Amino acid sequence: TPRSMVEYRVERQLYWLWLGAGGDPVSMAGRNVTVAGVSRVGPVYTPPERRGRGYAAAVTAACTQHALATDADRAILFTDVANPTSNGIYQRLGYRPIADRVVLRLG
């Protein structure tokens, strides 16, 4: 069930919430279970009304640092190359572009 999947990821510290000054969640980042020393970070989400305040950068950095400190040798993430805001944030966090991919949908 979706609830059990979320509980599984929360229990293993694979979902991270960034809390605002009032204690309410303002951004989130997740990561997958580490496989072969690599942890894939994502999804990263901040509601539109909370964007532009550094919340996504902070929660992505915390999620990435936790992965590297606990069980991952490397962290990766996929981003939209057409989004200069997120790409700039990820590069400031230490991520570097490796390859571009194209996804095609038939039908």
Side-chain angles (χ1 to χ4, degrees), residues 9 14-15 28-32 40-44 63 76-78:
R9 294 174 75 85
L14 300 175
Y15 277 162
M28 68 85 58
R31 71 180 183 98
N32 287 336
R40 184 180 62 81
V41 174
V44 176
C63 182
I76 64 169
L77 58 78
F78 291 89

Short mmCIF file of all heavy atoms in Angstrom, two decimals, residues 9 14-15 28-32 40-44 63 76-78:
data_model
loop_
_atom_site.label_atom_id
_atom_site.label_comp_id
_atom_site.label_asym_id
_atom_site.label_seq_id
_atom_site.Cartn_x
_atom_site.Cartn_y
_atom_site.Cartn_z
N ARG A 9 10.05 4.02 3.98
CA ARG A 9 11.07 5.00 3.63
C ARG A 9 11.35 5.95 4.79
O ARG A 9 12.49 6.34 5.00
CB ARG A 9 10.66 5.75 2.36
CG ARG A 9 10.63 4.81 1.14
CD ARG A 9 10.08 5.50 -0.08
NE ARG A 9 11.02 6.43 -0.65
CZ ARG A 9 11.97 6.12 -1.52
NH1 ARG A 9 12.11 4.88 -1.92
NH2 ARG A 9 12.78 7.04 -2.00
N LEU A 14 14.88 7.69 4.51
CA LEU A 14 15.00 7.91 3.08
C LEU A 14 14.15 9.09 2.62
O LEU A 14 14.32 9.57 1.50
CB LEU A 14 14.60 6.64 2.30
CG LEU A 14 15.45 5.40 2.61
CD1 LEU A 14 14.88 4.19 1.88
CD2 LEU A 14 16.90 5.62 2.25
N TYR A 15 13.22 9.53 3.44
CA TYR A 15 12.45 10.75 3.19
C TYR A 15 12.86 11.78 4.22
O TYR A 15 12.95 11.49 5.42
CB TYR A 15 10.94 10.52 3.33
CG TYR A 15 10.26 9.95 2.11
CD1 TYR A 15 9.01 9.35 2.22
CD2 TYR A 15 10.83 10.00 0.85
CE1 TYR A 15 8.37 8.83 1.12
CE2 TYR A 15 10.20 9.47 -0.25
CZ TYR A 15 8.96 8.89 -0.11
OH TYR A 15 8.33 8.38 -1.21
N MET A 28 10.66 18.92 0.91
CA MET A 28 11.03 17.53 1.15
C MET A 28 12.00 17.03 0.10
O MET A 28 12.04 17.55 -1.01
CB MET A 28 9.80 16.63 1.21
CG MET A 28 9.03 16.42 -0.08
SD MET A 28 9.62 15.10 -1.19
CE MET A 28 9.55 13.66 -0.20
N ALA A 29 12.79 16.05 0.51
CA ALA A 29 13.67 15.34 -0.41
C ALA A 29 13.65 13.88 -0.02
O ALA A 29 13.47 13.54 1.15
CB ALA A 29 15.11 15.88 -0.34
N GLY A 30 13.82 13.04 -1.00
CA GLY A 30 13.86 11.61 -0.74
C GLY A 30 15.06 11.01 -1.44
O GLY A 30 15.73 11.67 -2.24
N ARG A 31 15.33 9.78 -1.09
CA ARG A 31 16.37 9.04 -1.78
C ARG A 31 16.00 7.58 -1.79
O ARG A 31 15.17 7.13 -0.99
CB ARG A 31 17.74 9.26 -1.16
CG ARG A 31 17.96 8.62 0.20
CD ARG A 31 19.37 8.92 0.70
NE ARG A 31 19.68 8.29 1.96
CZ ARG A 31 20.35 7.15 2.09
NH1 ARG A 31 20.75 6.49 1.02
NH2 ARG A 31 20.61 6.65 3.29
N ASN A 32 16.61 6.86 -2.69
CA ASN A 32 16.38 5.43 -2.77
C ASN A 32 17.36 4.69 -1.89
O ASN A 32 18.39 5.24 -1.47
CB ASN A 32 16.51 4.94 -4.22
CG ASN A 32 15.34 5.35 -5.07
OD1 ASN A 32 14.25 5.59 -4.57
ND2 ASN A 32 15.55 5.44 -6.36
N ARG A 40 20.42 7.29 -5.10
CA ARG A 40 19.79 8.25 -6.01
C ARG A 40 18.87 9.15 -5.21
O ARG A 40 17.93 8.70 -4.58
CB ARG A 40 19.00 7.55 -7.11
CG ARG A 40 18.43 8.56 -8.12
CD ARG A 40 17.63 7.90 -9.22
NE ARG A 40 16.48 7.19 -8.75
CZ ARG A 40 15.31 7.75 -8.44
NH1 ARG A 40 15.15 9.05 -8.52
NH2 ARG A 40 14.31 7.00 -8.02
N VAL A 41 19.17 10.44 -5.22
CA VAL A 41 18.37 11.44 -4.52
C VAL A 41 17.20 11.85 -5.40
O VAL A 41 17.37 12.08 -6.59
CB VAL A 41 19.23 12.65 -4.13
CG1 VAL A 41 18.38 13.76 -3.52
CG2 VAL A 41 20.34 12.22 -3.16
N GLY A 42 16.05 11.94 -4.84
CA GLY A 42 14.84 12.36 -5.52
C GLY A 42 13.67 11.56 -4.99
O GLY A 42 13.87 10.44 -4.52
N PRO A 43 12.53 12.11 -4.95
CA PRO A 43 12.14 13.42 -5.44
C PRO A 43 12.57 14.54 -4.50
O PRO A 43 12.84 14.31 -3.32
CB PRO A 43 10.61 13.34 -5.50
CG PRO A 43 10.26 12.42 -4.38
CD PRO A 43 11.39 11.40 -4.34
N VAL A 44 12.61 15.74 -5.04
CA VAL A 44 12.79 16.97 -4.26
C VAL A 44 11.60 17.85 -4.59
O VAL A 44 11.30 18.05 -5.76
CB VAL A 44 14.11 17.68 -4.61
CG1 VAL A 44 14.22 19.00 -3.87
CG2 VAL A 44 15.30 16.79 -4.33
N CYS A 63 19.80 15.46 3.01
CA CYS A 63 19.53 14.10 2.53
C CYS A 63 20.79 13.49 1.90
O CYS A 63 21.14 12.35 2.17
CB CYS A 63 18.37 14.15 1.53
SG CYS A 63 17.86 12.56 0.87
N ILE A 76 23.67 10.46 -6.58
CA ILE A 76 23.33 10.97 -7.90
C ILE A 76 21.91 11.52 -7.86
O ILE A 76 21.14 11.20 -6.95
CB ILE A 76 23.44 9.89 -9.00
CG1 ILE A 76 22.42 8.76 -8.75
CG2 ILE A 76 24.85 9.34 -9.08
CD1 ILE A 76 22.28 7.79 -9.92
N LEU A 77 21.58 12.34 -8.83
CA LEU A 77 20.19 12.75 -9.00
C LEU A 77 19.96 13.09 -10.45
O LEU A 77 20.89 13.37 -11.20
CB LEU A 77 19.80 13.91 -8.08
CG LEU A 77 20.56 15.23 -8.13
CD1 LEU A 77 20.16 16.08 -9.31
CD2 LEU A 77 20.28 15.99 -6.85
N PHE A 78 18.71 13.03 -10.85
CA PHE A 78 18.30 13.39 -12.19
C PHE A 78 17.58 14.73 -12.10
O PHE A 78 16.82 14.96 -11.17
CB PHE A 78 17.37 12.34 -12.81
CG PHE A 78 18.07 11.04 -13.11
CD1 PHE A 78 18.16 10.04 -12.15
CD2 PHE A 78 18.66 10.83 -14.34
CE1 PHE A 78 18.81 8.85 -12.41
CE2 PHE A 78 19.31 9.64 -14.62
CZ PHE A 78 19.39 8.65 -13.65
#
